[in-house]
Amino acid sequence: VQLDAIRGMLPCDDPQCSHPIVRVDLDNRGSFVLQRACRKHPQRRVWWDGFGPLQRFPIGMVGMIDKAAYEARALRKCGLRVFLCSFHVYAAMLEKFDKDLRIRHGPTLFALIIGLKWLARSRTQAELGKRWAVVRSKSLPQLALGAELTAKIASYIESEWLCETWAACWTDIGRTSSDPALDMILRHMVTTNNATERFWIRYQDVACHHKMFSECSKPSPTLSSGSQ
């Protein structure tokens, strides 16, 4: 899908051409692509055909996202495991501690993140529960933040990160499998989606010269299955 998108945005060889970008509607459901109007494009495949149960995807394929419930629902509907980008996980935690809980003491933040990283290495729900019991009963009180603030921290972690929706997405619980080969793949898989995000910045620099898609013209007629 990404390669097809790149091909569609490559400009033609005419140095006098402005390489206009057009929107091409693919169906009546709102699906569309952006492409250069100055190039002859091959027939576009309907990418979502056949996307369904997990067995139709390659073994080990997962969806790595920032913490967005609607993206997680879409991936789970396709039968894919959901991983949260570790960089964005800890960035979100630090933002909560800073803006809402007003915790800005460096060593305190360091201790909190170390405790959360220890939780993240849990490989079963039972192990996560035991580790959280240690963090809540021993680690948090030692920070001497007061009973009220300590309770707010614990409530935040439990409701936002240890709940059924997200617990397996940022811990090693989601990176385990009874299949030894798959377990090895999941355990050594990348932990952030930063490289993917940087790829598009680099692509915009090389192919689009940072013009983004502001030149997109009016939608073109919907392409039929045999359109070029």
Side-chain angles (χ1 to χ4, degrees), residues 78-214:
C78 291
L80 292 175
R81 292 173 185 250
V82 178
F83 287 175
L84 293 181
C85 168
S86 294
F87 172 83
H88 291 95
V89 165
Y90 295 112
M93 292 173 174
L94 287 170
E95 182 177 11
K96 175 69 176 182
F97 296 150
D98 176 27
K99 293 186 176 181
D100 293 346
L101 301 182
R102 316 293 287 183
I103 303 172
R104 294 166 180 169
H105 182 240
T108 299
L109 292 171
F110 179 80
L112 285 169
I113 293 300
I114 289 297
L116 290 164
K117 283 180 173 285
W118 186 59
L119 291 179
R121 300 287 71 80
S122 303
R123 290 181 58 81
T124 66
Q125 193 67 44
E127 183 181 5
L128 178 62
K130 291 179 180 178
R131 291 192 177 204
W132 172 236
V134 172
V135 171
R136 179 165 188 174
S137 63
K138 297 183 178 181
S139 300
L140 291 182
Q142 290 180 3
L143 298 177
L145 297 173
E148 182 179 356
L149 184 53
T150 298
K152 288 182 179 180
I153 295 172
S155 177
Y156 164 68
I157 295 172
E158 288 176 346
S159 62
E160 294 292 333
W161 301 104
L162 303 184
C163 58
E164 182 180 357
T165 302
W166 299 114
C169 302
W170 68 286
T171 68
D172 287 348
I173 295 173
R175 293 175 177 265
T176 60
S177 173
S178 57
D179 182 334
L182 179 56
D183 188 71
M184 182 65 69
I185 292 173
L186 294 173
R187 291 181 66 180
H188 290 82
M189 191 168 288
V190 295
T191 58
T192 74
N193 57 14
N194 294 351
T196 302
E197 294 176 348
R198 287 197 301 271
F199 165 79
W200 286 111
I201 295 175
R202 177 61 176 165
Y203 168 71
Q204 292 162 14
D205 183 26
V206 173
C208 302
H209 305 291
H210 287 297
K211 292 182 180 179
M212 298 296 287
F213 304 121
S214 59

Side-chain angles (χ1 to χ4, degrees), residues 214-227:
S214 59
E215 302 172 6
C216 181
S217 63
K218 296 180 180 179
S220 64
T222 301
L223 290 180
S224 64
S225 59
S227 299

